[in-house]
Amino acid sequence: GGITTGGVASVGGRKGGGAGGGGRPARAAAVAASLEVDPERSYRPFALSEGSSFHASRLTARQRARLDRATLARYGAYEAPAAAVVGQVDLSAARARAAGREERRRFAAAADEVRRALALRRGIVDEEEKSRAKEYAARAAERVREKLKAMSDARFNELQILVEGQRSSIDAIRLNEFLA
């Protein structure tokens, strides 16, 4: 059994929830407060009919005491669990539903991006996106121009250093003509 903290049972039955201490019950309480547990969807075990071979009413206390653990577990599987267990199962189901909603939201956002990209490729764009695309293209062209100018300036500077290092002006002119 677990320890109940604020109406939520911690998993593992230890105070503090494990290594690091103090994390799990506080986290479980925060998750419980943020999730809505629907009482209509609350966990209920499968209901057995009275004539079922694993219905607990078919056993006397003495028969039940003499059963091995595996068989006893088969009978116990259809009994209503403790309130703390039901609460944890309900919280787990609420977390799964919330994760599913988040996954669907992310998928819808990704699908919208793909639709927008396809519309852009087909030429179906609104004016705002078209102006934004032109602005980005102009920025990219400017960056390329700046890069080419920097490369050209660097090459010119290297040539100047080589030309200035020649012994005579005739050798400098010939080298400059050869490399230009």
Side-chain angles (χ1 to χ4, degrees), residues 115-172:
R115 283 189 202 105
R116 187 175 298 117
L118 288 174
L120 184 64
R121 189 179 280 174
R122 292 181 188 137
I124 309 169
V125 291
D126 60 345
E127 291 303 316
E128 180 183 333
E129 286 188 26
K130 191 179 281 187
S131 67
R132 192 176 325 134
K134 285 182 181 179
E135 180 185 337
Y136 289 157
R139 286 183 191 171
E142 182 62 30
R143 284 194 305 270
V144 169
R145 274 193 295 273
E146 289 173 1
K147 184 177 181 181
L148 288 174
K149 181 164 177 20
M151 288 171 55
S152 174
D153 290 347
R155 184 171 187 273
F156 178 75
N157 289 337
E158 285 180 19
L159 284 175
Q160 282 303 108
I161 290 170
L162 287 174
V163 168
E164 290 173 2
Q166 298 303 311
R167 282 182 266 160
S168 69
S169 61
I170 298 290
D171 287 343

